[in-house]
PDB file of all heavy atoms in Angstrom:
ATOM      1  N   GLU A   2     -29.794  46.754  80.680  1.00 98.00           N
ATOM      2  CA  GLU A   2     -29.717  46.951  79.256  1.00 98.00           C
ATOM      3  C   GLU A   2     -28.691  46.021  78.641  1.00 98.00           C
ATOM      4  O   GLU A   2     -27.757  45.506  79.261  1.00 98.00           O
ATOM      5  CB  GLU A   2     -29.287  48.373  78.944  1.00 98.00           C
ATOM      6  CG  GLU A   2     -27.878  48.777  79.409  1.00 98.00           C
ATOM      7  CD  GLU A   2     -27.476  50.159  78.979  1.00 98.00           C
ATOM      8  OE1 GLU A   2     -28.273  50.908  78.406  1.00 98.00           O
ATOM      9  OE2 GLU A   2     -26.271  50.532  79.218  1.00 98.00           O
ATOM     10  N   PHE A   3     -28.927  45.741  77.392  1.00 98.00           N
ATOM     11  CA  PHE A   3     -28.092  44.832  76.587  1.00 98.00           C
ATOM     12  C   PHE A   3     -26.719  45.470  76.330  1.00 98.00           C
ATOM     13  O   PHE A   3     -26.590  46.663  76.079  1.00 98.00           O
ATOM     14  CB  PHE A   3     -28.774  44.604  75.251  1.00 98.00           C
ATOM     15  CG  PHE A   3     -27.883  43.929  74.220  1.00 98.00           C
ATOM     16  CD1 PHE A   3     -27.540  42.635  74.356  1.00 98.00           C
ATOM     17  CD2 PHE A   3     -27.486  44.692  73.137  1.00 98.00           C
ATOM     18  CE1 PHE A   3     -26.731  42.050  73.378  1.00 98.00           C
ATOM     19  CE2 PHE A   3     -26.632  44.096  72.147  1.00 98.00           C
ATOM     20  CZ  PHE A   3     -26.230  42.831  72.286  1.00 98.00           C
ATOM     21  N   VAL A   4     -25.666  44.624  76.363  1.00 98.00           N
ATOM     22  CA  VAL A   4     -24.324  45.090  76.091  1.00 98.00           C
ATOM     23  C   VAL A   4     -23.744  44.331  74.829  1.00 98.00           C
ATOM     24  O   VAL A   4     -23.347  44.922  73.901  1.00 98.00           O
ATOM     25  CB  VAL A   4     -23.372  44.858  77.297  1.00 98.00           C
ATOM     26  CG1 VAL A   4     -21.919  45.245  76.922  1.00 98.00           C
ATOM     27  CG2 VAL A   4     -23.852  45.696  78.476  1.00 98.00           C
ATOM     28  N   ALA A   5     -23.728  42.953  74.958  1.00 98.00           N
ATOM     29  CA  ALA A   5     -23.180  42.194  73.828  1.00 98.00           C
ATOM     30  C   ALA A   5     -23.711  40.778  73.913  1.00 98.00           C
ATOM     31  O   ALA A   5     -24.102  40.281  74.963  1.00 98.00           O
ATOM     32  CB  ALA A   5     -21.650  42.171  73.978  1.00 98.00           C
ATOM     33  N   THR A   6     -23.676  40.112  72.793  1.00 98.00           N
ATOM     34  CA  THR A   6     -24.125  38.720  72.728  1.00 98.00           C
ATOM     35  C   THR A   6     -23.294  37.911  71.717  1.00 98.00           C
ATOM     36  O   THR A   6     -22.748  38.564  70.781  1.00 98.00           O
ATOM     37  CB  THR A   6     -25.632  38.632  72.371  1.00 98.00           C
ATOM     38  OG1 THR A   6     -26.029  37.264  72.351  1.00 98.00           O
ATOM     39  CG2 THR A   6     -25.919  39.238  70.990  1.00 98.00           C
ATOM     40  N   VAL A   7     -23.236  36.621  71.918  1.00 97.00           N
ATOM     41  CA  VAL A   7     -22.508  35.752  71.010  1.00 97.00           C
ATOM     42  C   VAL A   7     -23.252  34.460  70.868  1.00 97.00           C
ATOM     43  O   VAL A   7     -23.875  33.966  71.793  1.00 97.00           O
ATOM     44  CB  VAL A   7     -21.028  35.549  71.608  1.00 97.00           C
ATOM     45  CG1 VAL A   7     -21.132  34.827  72.976  1.00 97.00           C
ATOM     46  CG2 VAL A   7     -20.187  34.713  70.635  1.00 97.00           C
ATOM     47  N   ASN A   8     -23.192  33.923  69.625  1.00 96.00           N
ATOM     48  CA  ASN A   8     -23.896  32.655  69.384  1.00 96.00           C
ATOM     49  C   ASN A   8     -23.073  31.466  69.940  1.00 96.00           C
ATOM     50  O   ASN A   8     -21.964  31.637  70.482  1.00 96.00           O
ATOM     51  CB  ASN A   8     -24.236  32.492  67.893  1.00 96.00           C
ATOM     52  CG  ASN A   8     -22.964  32.069  67.077  1.00 96.00           C
ATOM     53  OD1 ASN A   8     -21.909  32.570  67.366  1.00 96.00           O
ATOM     54  ND2 ASN A   8     -23.152  31.164  66.151  1.00 96.00           N
ATOM     55  N   TRP A   9     -23.593  30.326  69.725  1.00 94.00           N
ATOM     56  CA  TRP A   9     -23.013  29.121  70.392  1.00 94.00           C
ATOM     57  C   TRP A   9     -21.544  28.818  69.999  1.00 94.00           C
ATOM     58  O   TRP A   9     -20.752  28.427  70.823  1.00 94.00           O
ATOM     59  CB  TRP A   9     -23.832  27.848  70.101  1.00 94.00           C
ATOM     60  CG  TRP A   9     -23.687  27.387  68.698  1.00 94.00           C
ATOM     61  CD1 TRP A   9     -24.381  27.700  67.618  1.00 94.00           C
ATOM     62  CD2 TRP A   9     -22.696  26.392  68.219  1.00 94.00           C
ATOM     63  NE1 TRP A   9     -23.951  27.044  66.497  1.00 94.00           N
ATOM     64  CE2 TRP A   9     -22.906  26.278  66.839  1.00 94.00           C
ATOM     65  CE3 TRP A   9     -21.711  25.646  68.853  1.00 94.00           C
ATOM     66  CZ2 TRP A   9     -22.139  25.366  66.088  1.00 94.00           C
ATOM     67  CZ3 TRP A   9     -20.983  24.759  68.089  1.00 94.00           C
ATOM     68  CH2 TRP A   9     -21.181  24.673  66.723  1.00 94.00           C
ATOM     69  N   SER A  10     -21.226  29.137  68.780  1.00 93.00           N
ATOM     70  CA  SER A  10     -19.918  28.869  68.302  1.00 93.00           C
ATOM     71  C   SER A  10     -18.897  29.946  68.461  1.00 93.00           C
ATOM     72  O   SER A  10     -17.674  29.768  68.348  1.00 93.00           O
ATOM     73  CB  SER A  10     -19.945  28.501  66.772  1.00 93.00           C
ATOM     74  OG  SER A  10     -20.267  29.691  66.013  1.00 93.00           O
ATOM     75  N   GLY A  11     -19.357  31.198  68.770  1.00 92.00           N
ATOM     76  CA  GLY A  11     -18.504  32.332  68.876  1.00 92.00           C
ATOM     77  C   GLY A  11     -18.316  33.048  67.573  1.00 92.00           C
ATOM     78  O   GLY A  11     -17.696  34.053  67.498  1.00 92.00           O
ATOM     79  N   GLY A  12     -18.940  32.513  66.534  1.00 93.00           N
ATOM     80  CA  GLY A  12     -18.694  33.061  65.206  1.00 93.00           C
ATOM     81  C   GLY A  12     -19.608  34.293  64.905  1.00 93.00           C
ATOM     82  O   GLY A  12     -19.262  35.109  64.003  1.00 93.00           O
ATOM     83  N   ASN A  13     -20.648  34.501  65.664  1.00 95.00           N
ATOM     84  CA  ASN A  13     -21.571  35.570  65.471  1.00 95.00           C
ATOM     85  C   ASN A  13     -21.661  36.410  66.752  1.00 95.00           C
ATOM     86  O   ASN A  13     -21.976  35.826  67.774  1.00 95.00           O
ATOM     87  CB  ASN A  13     -22.933  35.179  65.015  1.00 95.00           C
ATOM     88  CG  ASN A  13     -22.963  34.538  63.621  1.00 95.00           C
ATOM     89  OD1 ASN A  13     -22.153  34.862  62.799  1.00 95.00           O
ATOM     90  ND2 ASN A  13     -23.862  33.578  63.441  1.00 95.00           N
ATOM     91  N   THR A  14     -21.428  37.730  66.659  1.00 97.00           N
ATOM     92  CA  THR A  14     -21.538  38.574  67.815  1.00 97.00           C
ATOM     93  C   THR A  14     -22.385  39.837  67.431  1.00 97.00           C
ATOM     94  O   THR A  14     -22.502  40.170  66.251  1.00 97.00           O
ATOM     95  CB  THR A  14     -20.140  39.052  68.250  1.00 97.00           C
ATOM     96  OG1 THR A  14     -19.470  39.688  67.181  1.00 97.00           O
ATOM     97  CG2 THR A  14     -19.332  37.876  68.732  1.00 97.00           C
ATOM     98  N   TYR A  15     -22.887  40.443  68.430  1.00 97.00           N
ATOM     99  CA  TYR A  15     -23.656  41.689  68.223  1.00 97.00           C
ATOM    100  C   TYR A  15     -23.452  42.526  69.469  1.00 97.00           C
ATOM    101  O   TYR A  15     -23.436  42.040  70.611  1.00 97.00           O
ATOM    102  CB  TYR A  15     -25.080  41.325  68.017  1.00 97.00           C
ATOM    103  CG  TYR A  15     -26.021  42.528  67.754  1.00 97.00           C
ATOM    104  CD1 TYR A  15     -25.923  43.314  66.647  1.00 97.00           C
ATOM    105  CD2 TYR A  15     -26.908  42.881  68.704  1.00 97.00           C
ATOM    106  CE1 TYR A  15     -26.744  44.333  66.374  1.00 97.00           C
ATOM    107  CE2 TYR A  15     -27.792  43.972  68.527  1.00 97.00           C
ATOM    108  CZ  TYR A  15     -27.723  44.681  67.340  1.00 97.00           C
ATOM    109  OH  TYR A  15     -28.487  45.765  67.127  1.00 97.00           O
ATOM    110  N   TYR A  16     -23.366  43.899  69.230  1.00 98.00           N
ATOM    111  CA  TYR A  16     -23.069  44.821  70.342  1.00 98.00           C
ATOM    112  C   TYR A  16     -24.056  45.940  70.415  1.00 98.00           C
ATOM    113  O   TYR A  16     -24.620  46.417  69.386  1.00 98.00           O
ATOM    114  CB  TYR A  16     -21.655  45.354  70.167  1.00 98.00           C
ATOM    115  CG  TYR A  16     -20.605  44.342  70.221  1.00 98.00           C
ATOM    116  CD1 TYR A  16     -20.121  43.753  69.050  1.00 98.00           C
ATOM    117  CD2 TYR A  16     -19.945  43.989  71.396  1.00 98.00           C
ATOM    118  CE1 TYR A  16     -19.086  42.777  69.082  1.00 98.00           C
ATOM    119  CE2 TYR A  16     -18.958  43.051  71.450  1.00 98.00           C
ATOM    120  CZ  TYR A  16     -18.542  42.455  70.299  1.00 98.00           C
ATOM    121  OH  TYR A  16     -17.532  41.538  70.313  1.00 98.00           O
ATOM    122  N   ALA A  17     -24.244  46.463  71.582  1.00 98.00           N
ATOM    123  CA  ALA A  17     -24.968  47.724  71.758  1.00 98.00           C
ATOM    124  C   ALA A  17     -24.212  48.825  71.074  1.00 98.00           C
ATOM    125  O   ALA A  17     -22.925  48.833  71.106  1.00 98.00           O
ATOM    126  CB  ALA A  17     -25.238  48.017  73.219  1.00 98.00           C
ATOM    127  N   HIS A  18     -24.851  49.784  70.540  1.00 98.00           N
ATOM    128  CA  HIS A  18     -24.201  50.884  69.866  1.00 98.00           C
ATOM    129  C   HIS A  18     -23.185  51.621  70.794  1.00 98.00           C
ATOM    130  O   HIS A  18     -22.135  52.046  70.359  1.00 98.00           O
ATOM    131  CB  HIS A  18     -25.249  51.856  69.311  1.00 98.00           C
ATOM    132  CG  HIS A  18     -24.629  53.030  68.653  1.00 98.00           C
ATOM    133  ND1 HIS A  18     -24.003  53.016  67.411  1.00 98.00           N
ATOM    134  CD2 HIS A  18     -24.482  54.327  69.017  1.00 98.00           C
ATOM    135  CE1 HIS A  18     -23.602  54.201  67.079  1.00 98.00           C
ATOM    136  NE2 HIS A  18     -23.857  55.019  68.062  1.00 98.00           N
ATOM    137  N   SER A  19     -23.636  51.689  72.116  1.00 98.00           N
ATOM    138  CA  SER A  19     -22.789  52.448  73.038  1.00 98.00           C
ATOM    139  C   SER A  19     -21.476  51.817  73.317  1.00 98.00           C
ATOM    140  O   SER A  19     -20.548  52.515  73.844  1.00 98.00           O
ATOM    141  CB  SER A  19     -23.578  52.665  74.326  1.00 98.00           C
ATOM    142  OG  SER A  19     -23.896  51.351  74.871  1.00 98.00           O
ATOM    143  N   VAL A  20     -21.278  50.548  73.030  1.00 98.00           N
ATOM    144  CA  VAL A  20     -20.073  49.885  73.388  1.00 98.00           C
ATOM    145  C   VAL A  20     -19.298  49.319  72.168  1.00 98.00           C
ATOM    146  O   VAL A  20     -18.198  48.855  72.236  1.00 98.00           O
ATOM    147  CB  VAL A  20     -20.276  48.649  74.356  1.00 98.00           C
ATOM    148  CG1 VAL A  20     -21.033  49.159  75.570  1.00 98.00           C
ATOM    149  CG2 VAL A  20     -20.962  47.528  73.698  1.00 98.00           C
ATOM    150  N   LYS A  21     -19.908  49.361  71.056  1.00 98.00           N
ATOM    151  CA  LYS A  21     -19.333  48.814  69.788  1.00 98.00           C
ATOM    152  C   LYS A  21     -17.965  49.545  69.529  1.00 98.00           C
ATOM    153  O   LYS A  21     -17.853  50.778  69.552  1.00 98.00           O
ATOM    154  CB  LYS A  21     -20.318  49.006  68.635  1.00 98.00           C
ATOM    155  CG  LYS A  21     -19.848  48.189  67.408  1.00 98.00           C
ATOM    156  CD  LYS A  21     -20.943  48.239  66.344  1.00 98.00           C
ATOM    157  CE  LYS A  21     -20.578  47.362  65.149  1.00 98.00           C
ATOM    158  NZ  LYS A  21     -21.624  47.319  64.128  1.00 98.00           N
ATOM    159  N   GLY A  22     -16.989  48.736  69.255  1.00 98.00           N
ATOM    160  CA  GLY A  22     -15.639  49.258  68.979  1.00 98.00           C
ATOM    161  C   GLY A  22     -14.832  49.380  70.273  1.00 98.00           C
ATOM    162  O   GLY A  22     -13.555  49.534  70.148  1.00 98.00           O
ATOM    163  N   ARG A  23     -15.416  49.286  71.408  1.00 98.00           N
ATOM    164  CA  ARG A  23     -14.688  49.348  72.702  1.00 98.00           C
ATOM    165  C   ARG A  23     -14.711  47.996  73.407  1.00 98.00           C
ATOM    166  O   ARG A  23     -13.752  47.651  74.111  1.00 98.00           O
ATOM    167  CB  ARG A  23     -15.278  50.402  73.585  1.00 98.00           C
ATOM    168  CG  ARG A  23     -15.248  51.842  72.986  1.00 98.00           C
ATOM    169  CD  ARG A  23     -15.651  52.854  74.024  1.00 98.00           C
ATOM    170  NE  ARG A  23     -17.047  52.668  74.465  1.00 98.00           N
ATOM    171  CZ  ARG A  23     -17.347  52.555  75.779  1.00 98.00           C
ATOM    172  NH1 ARG A  23     -16.523  52.506  76.682  1.00 98.00           N
ATOM    173  NH2 ARG A  23     -18.685  52.405  76.048  1.00 98.00           N
ATOM    174  N   PHE A  24     -15.823  47.256  73.326  1.00 98.00           N
ATOM    175  CA  PHE A  24     -15.969  45.991  74.026  1.00 98.00           C
ATOM    176  C   PHE A  24     -15.907  44.806  73.013  1.00 98.00           C
ATOM    177  O   PHE A  24     -16.315  45.004  71.880  1.00 98.00           O
ATOM    178  CB  PHE A  24     -17.328  45.969  74.715  1.00 98.00           C
ATOM    179  CG  PHE A  24     -17.481  46.863  75.898  1.00 98.00           C
ATOM    180  CD1 PHE A  24     -16.559  47.850  76.171  1.00 98.00           C
ATOM    181  CD2 PHE A  24     -18.579  46.789  76.756  1.00 98.00           C
ATOM    182  CE1 PHE A  24     -16.703  48.733  77.261  1.00 98.00           C
ATOM    183  CE2 PHE A  24     -18.767  47.566  77.810  1.00 98.00           C
ATOM    184  CZ  PHE A  24     -17.813  48.616  78.068  1.00 98.00           C
ATOM    185  N   THR A  25     -15.391  43.683  73.531  1.00 98.00           N
ATOM    186  CA  THR A  25     -15.350  42.492  72.694  1.00 98.00           C
ATOM    187  C   THR A  25     -15.798  41.314  73.504  1.00 98.00           C
ATOM    188  O   THR A  25     -15.293  41.086  74.578  1.00 98.00           O
ATOM    189  CB  THR A  25     -13.955  42.220  72.193  1.00 98.00           C
ATOM    190  OG1 THR A  25     -13.432  43.339  71.409  1.00 98.00           O
ATOM    191  CG2 THR A  25     -13.935  40.997  71.264  1.00 98.00           C
ATOM    192  N   ILE A  26     -16.778  40.581  72.954  1.00 98.00           N
ATOM    193  CA  ILE A  26     -17.285  39.372  73.653  1.00 98.00           C
ATOM    194  C   ILE A  26     -16.649  38.205  72.981  1.00 98.00           C
ATOM    195  O   ILE A  26     -16.476  38.171  71.728  1.00 98.00           O
ATOM    196  CB  ILE A  26     -18.820  39.266  73.614  1.00 98.00           C
ATOM    197  CG1 ILE A  26     -19.360  38.108  74.453  1.00 98.00           C
ATOM    198  CG2 ILE A  26     -19.339  39.189  72.164  1.00 98.00           C
ATOM    199  CD1 ILE A  26     -20.885  38.114  74.647  1.00 98.00           C
ATOM    200  N   SER A  27     -16.271  37.164  73.763  1.00 98.00           N
ATOM    201  CA  SER A  27     -15.680  35.976  73.223  1.00 98.00           C
ATOM    202  C   SER A  27     -16.033  34.821  74.146  1.00 98.00           C
ATOM    203  O   SER A  27     -16.399  35.059  75.313  1.00 98.00           O
ATOM    204  CB  SER A  27     -14.149  36.111  73.079  1.00 98.00           C
ATOM    205  OG  SER A  27     -13.594  36.326  74.387  1.00 98.00           O
ATOM    206  N   ARG A  28     -15.907  33.607  73.652  1.00 97.00           N
ATOM    207  CA  ARG A  28     -16.258  32.438  74.456  1.00 97.00           C
ATOM    208  C   ARG A  28     -15.277  31.298  74.203  1.00 97.00           C
ATOM    209  O   ARG A  28     -14.666  31.237  73.087  1.00 97.00           O
ATOM    210  CB  ARG A  28     -17.681  31.944  74.170  1.00 97.00           C
ATOM    211  CG  ARG A  28     -17.906  31.419  72.781  1.00 97.00           C
ATOM    212  CD  ARG A  28     -19.429  31.127  72.562  1.00 97.00           C
ATOM    213  NE  ARG A  28     -19.906  30.066  73.442  1.00 97.00           N
ATOM    214  CZ  ARG A  28     -21.194  29.913  73.699  1.00 97.00           C
ATOM    215  NH1 ARG A  28     -22.074  30.747  73.164  1.00 97.00           N
ATOM    216  NH2 ARG A  28     -21.602  28.931  74.467  1.00 97.00           N
ATOM    217  N   ASP A  29     -15.097  30.474  75.182  1.00 96.00           N
ATOM    218  CA  ASP A  29     -14.236  29.279  75.048  1.00 96.00           C
ATOM    219  C   ASP A  29     -15.128  28.109  75.486  1.00 96.00           C
ATOM    220  O   ASP A  29     -15.341  27.922  76.705  1.00 96.00           O
ATOM    221  CB  ASP A  29     -13.028  29.431  75.927  1.00 96.00           C
ATOM    222  CG  ASP A  29     -12.009  28.306  75.724  1.00 96.00           C
ATOM    223  OD1 ASP A  29     -12.442  27.179  75.323  1.00 96.00           O
ATOM    224  OD2 ASP A  29     -10.880  28.497  76.035  1.00 96.00           O
ATOM    225  N   ASN A  30     -15.657  27.318  74.486  1.00 94.00           N
ATOM    226  CA  ASN A  30     -16.525  26.231  74.873  1.00 94.00           C
ATOM    227  C   ASN A  30     -15.809  25.103  75.543  1.00 94.00           C
ATOM    228  O   ASN A  30     -16.454  24.315  76.245  1.00 94.00           O
ATOM    229  CB  ASN A  30     -17.220  25.744  73.598  1.00 94.00           C
ATOM    230  CG  ASN A  30     -18.321  26.727  73.127  1.00 94.00           C
ATOM    231  OD1 ASN A  30     -18.811  27.562  73.916  1.00 94.00           O
ATOM    232  ND2 ASN A  30     -18.671  26.663  71.849  1.00 94.00           N
ATOM    233  N   ALA A  31     -14.525  24.974  75.363  1.00 93.00           N
ATOM    234  CA  ALA A  31     -13.750  23.962  76.026  1.00 93.00           C
ATOM    235  C   ALA A  31     -13.656  24.221  77.563  1.00 93.00           C
ATOM    236  O   ALA A  31     -13.589  23.312  78.401  1.00 93.00           O
ATOM    237  CB  ALA A  31     -12.400  23.815  75.449  1.00 93.00           C
ATOM    238  N   LYS A  32     -13.705  25.517  77.884  1.00 95.00           N
ATOM    239  CA  LYS A  32     -13.532  25.931  79.284  1.00 95.00           C
ATOM    240  C   LYS A  32     -14.832  26.377  79.852  1.00 95.00           C
ATOM    241  O   LYS A  32     -14.903  26.728  81.041  1.00 95.00           O
ATOM    242  CB  LYS A  32     -12.487  27.077  79.393  1.00 95.00           C
ATOM    243  CG  LYS A  32     -11.102  26.722  79.039  1.00 95.00           C
ATOM    244  CD  LYS A  32     -10.126  27.870  79.177  1.00 95.00           C
ATOM    245  CE  LYS A  32      -8.716  27.493  78.794  1.00 95.00           C
ATOM    246  NZ  LYS A  32      -7.775  28.658  78.963  1.00 95.00           N
ATOM    247  N   ASN A  33     -15.897  26.376  79.094  1.00 95.00           N
ATOM    248  CA  ASN A  33     -17.255  26.862  79.545  1.00 95.00           C
ATOM    249  C   ASN A  33     -17.167  28.273  80.094  1.00 95.00           C
ATOM    250  O   ASN A  33     -17.654  28.605  81.181  1.00 95.00           O
ATOM    251  CB  ASN A  33     -17.774  25.955  80.646  1.00 95.00           C
ATOM    252  CG  ASN A  33     -18.438  24.669  80.073  1.00 95.00           C
ATOM    253  OD1 ASN A  33     -18.192  24.291  78.890  1.00 95.00           O
ATOM    254  ND2 ASN A  33     -19.189  23.996  80.883  1.00 95.00           N
ATOM    255  N   THR A  34     -16.533  29.139  79.362  1.00 97.00           N
ATOM    256  CA  THR A  34     -16.467  30.582  79.720  1.00 97.00           C
ATOM    257  C   THR A  34     -16.834  31.499  78.637  1.00 97.00           C
ATOM    258  O   THR A  34     -16.668  31.168  77.432  1.00 97.00           O
ATOM    259  CB  THR A  34     -15.031  30.920  80.234  1.00 97.00           C
ATOM    260  OG1 THR A  34     -14.097  30.678  79.157  1.00 97.00           O
ATOM    261  CG2 THR A  34     -14.678  30.113  81.452  1.00 97.00           C
ATOM    262  N   VAL A  35     -17.298  32.653  78.984  1.00 98.00           N
ATOM    263  CA  VAL A  35     -17.534  33.722  78.077  1.00 98.00           C
ATOM    264  C   VAL A  35     -16.982  34.939  78.708  1.00 98.00           C
ATOM    265  O   VAL A  35     -17.235  35.271  79.884  1.00 98.00           O
ATOM    266  CB  VAL A  35     -19.016  33.833  77.666  1.00 98.00           C
ATOM    267  CG1 VAL A  35     -19.884  34.116  78.920  1.00 98.00           C
ATOM    268  CG2 VAL A  35     -19.212  34.963  76.632  1.00 98.00           C
ATOM    269  N   ASP A  36     -16.222  35.741  77.950  1.00 98.00           N
ATOM    270  CA  ASP A  36     -15.509  36.875  78.452  1.00 98.00           C
ATOM    271  C   ASP A  36     -16.035  38.161  77.801  1.00 98.00           C
ATOM    272  O   ASP A  36     -16.549  38.107  76.679  1.00 98.00           O
ATOM    273  CB  ASP A  36     -14.009  36.809  78.167  1.00 98.00           C
ATOM    274  CG  ASP A  36     -13.354  35.720  79.030  1.00 98.00           C
ATOM    275  OD1 ASP A  36     -14.023  35.190  79.958  1.00 98.00           O
ATOM    276  OD2 ASP A  36     -12.203  35.438  78.778  1.00 98.00           O
ATOM    277  N   LEU A  37     -15.861  39.304  78.483  1.00 98.00           N
ATOM    278  CA  LEU A  37     -16.118  40.600  77.925  1.00 98.00           C
ATOM    279  C   LEU A  37     -14.940  41.498  78.186  1.00 98.00           C
ATOM    280  O   LEU A  37     -14.691  41.873  79.281  1.00 98.00           O
ATOM    281  CB  LEU A  37     -17.385  41.178  78.559  1.00 98.00           C
ATOM    282  CG  LEU A  37     -17.875  42.532  77.991  1.00 98.00           C
ATOM    283  CD1 LEU A  37     -18.398  42.268  76.566  1.00 98.00           C
ATOM    284  CD2 LEU A  37     -18.917  43.172  78.806  1.00 98.00           C
ATOM    285  N   GLN A  38     -14.166  41.742  77.125  1.00 98.00           N
ATOM    286  CA  GLN A  38     -13.060  42.642  77.159  1.00 98.00           C
ATOM    287  C   GLN A  38     -13.581  44.080  76.977  1.00 98.00           C
ATOM    288  O   GLN A  38     -14.146  44.377  75.978  1.00 98.00           O
ATOM    289  CB  GLN A  38     -12.020  42.373  76.130  1.00 98.00           C
ATOM    290  CG  GLN A  38     -10.825  43.268  76.112  1.00 98.00           C
ATOM    291  CD  GLN A  38      -9.969  43.206  77.333  1.00 98.00           C
ATOM    292  OE1 GLN A  38      -9.710  42.105  77.838  1.00 98.00           O
ATOM    293  NE2 GLN A  38      -9.552  44.355  77.857  1.00 98.00           N
ATOM    294  N   MET A  39     -13.327  44.923  77.986  1.00 98.00           N
ATOM    295  CA  MET A  39     -13.827  46.324  77.926  1.00 98.00           C
ATOM    296  C   MET A  39     -12.646  47.253  77.919  1.00 98.00           C
ATOM    297  O   MET A  39     -11.855  47.315  78.877  1.00 98.00           O
ATOM    298  CB  MET A  39     -14.704  46.540  79.164  1.00 98.00           C
ATOM    299  CG  MET A  39     -15.810  45.543  79.367  1.00 98.00           C
ATOM    300  SD  MET A  39     -16.934  45.938  80.617  1.00 98.00           S
ATOM    301  CE  MET A  39     -15.871  45.804  82.028  1.00 98.00           C
ATOM    302  N   ASN A  40     -12.524  47.984  76.834  1.00 98.00           N
ATOM    303  CA  ASN A  40     -11.473  48.960  76.652  1.00 98.00           C
ATOM    304  C   ASN A  40     -12.073  50.404  76.523  1.00 98.00           C
ATOM    305  O   ASN A  40     -13.233  50.555  76.317  1.00 98.00           O
ATOM    306  CB  ASN A  40     -10.681  48.719  75.361  1.00 98.00           C
ATOM    307  CG  ASN A  40     -10.036  47.307  75.455  1.00 98.00           C
ATOM    308  OD1 ASN A  40      -9.567  46.838  76.488  1.00 98.00           O
ATOM    309  ND2 ASN A  40      -9.842  46.687  74.270  1.00 98.00           N
ATOM    310  N   SER A  41     -11.189  51.350  76.771  1.00 98.00           N
ATOM    311  CA  SER A  41     -11.569  52.781  76.661  1.00 98.00           C
ATOM    312  C   SER A  41     -12.811  53.022  77.507  1.00 98.00           C
ATOM    313  O   SER A  41     -13.792  53.631  77.068  1.00 98.00           O
ATOM    314  CB  SER A  41     -11.858  53.149  75.202  1.00 98.00           C
ATOM    315  OG  SER A  41     -10.653  52.953  74.454  1.00 98.00           O
ATOM    316  N   LEU A  42     -12.814  52.601  78.737  1.00 98.00           N
ATOM    317  CA  LEU A  42     -13.992  52.711  79.626  1.00 98.00           C
ATOM    318  C   LEU A  42     -14.270  54.106  79.968  1.00 98.00           C
ATOM    319  O   LEU A  42     -13.412  54.998  80.027  1.00 98.00           O
ATOM    320  CB  LEU A  42     -13.737  51.912  80.874  1.00 98.00           C
ATOM    321  CG  LEU A  42     -13.860  50.349  80.706  1.00 98.00           C
ATOM    322  CD1 LEU A  42     -13.222  49.630  81.850  1.00 98.00           C
ATOM    323  CD2 LEU A  42     -15.382  49.962  80.624  1.00 98.00           C
ATOM    324  N   LYS A  43     -15.621  54.355  80.085  1.00 98.00           N
ATOM    325  CA  LYS A  43     -16.149  55.679  80.363  1.00 98.00           C
ATOM    326  C   LYS A  43     -16.934  55.642  81.657  1.00 98.00           C
ATOM    327  O   LYS A  43     -17.387  54.560  82.024  1.00 98.00           O
ATOM    328  CB  LYS A  43     -17.094  56.126  79.212  1.00 98.00           C
ATOM    329  CG  LYS A  43     -16.457  56.106  77.826  1.00 98.00           C
ATOM    330  CD  LYS A  43     -17.462  56.469  76.819  1.00 98.00           C
ATOM    331  CE  LYS A  43     -16.901  56.422  75.391  1.00 98.00           C
ATOM    332  NZ  LYS A  43     -17.936  56.745  74.348  1.00 98.00           N
TER     333      LYS A  43
END
């Protein structure tokens, strides 16, 4: 199932309803990485 997505620049993100407000997706194009910060885990 889908959790989160981010566009090429990092400027646009979208989350599954079940994780919105708890998870944050981010990317660093200089480092070729994309992270998912997960808080208030269930």
Side-chain angles (χ1 to χ4, degrees):
E2 66 174 5
F3 167 73
V4 175
T6 181
V7 61
N8 76 320
W9 73 271
S10 68
N13 293 331
T14 58
Y15 181 69
Y16 298 90
H18 178 74
S19 59
V20 307
K21 193 171 185 179
R23 300 188 297 123
F24 291 11
T25 302
I26 188 171
S27 61
R28 67 187 295 162
D29 186 335
N30 287 339
K32 296 181 179 179
N33 280 16
T34 58
V35 59
D36 291 349
L37 185 69
Q38 177 65 42
M39 305 186 296
N40 298 329
S41 302
L42 283 161
K43 304 175 181 180

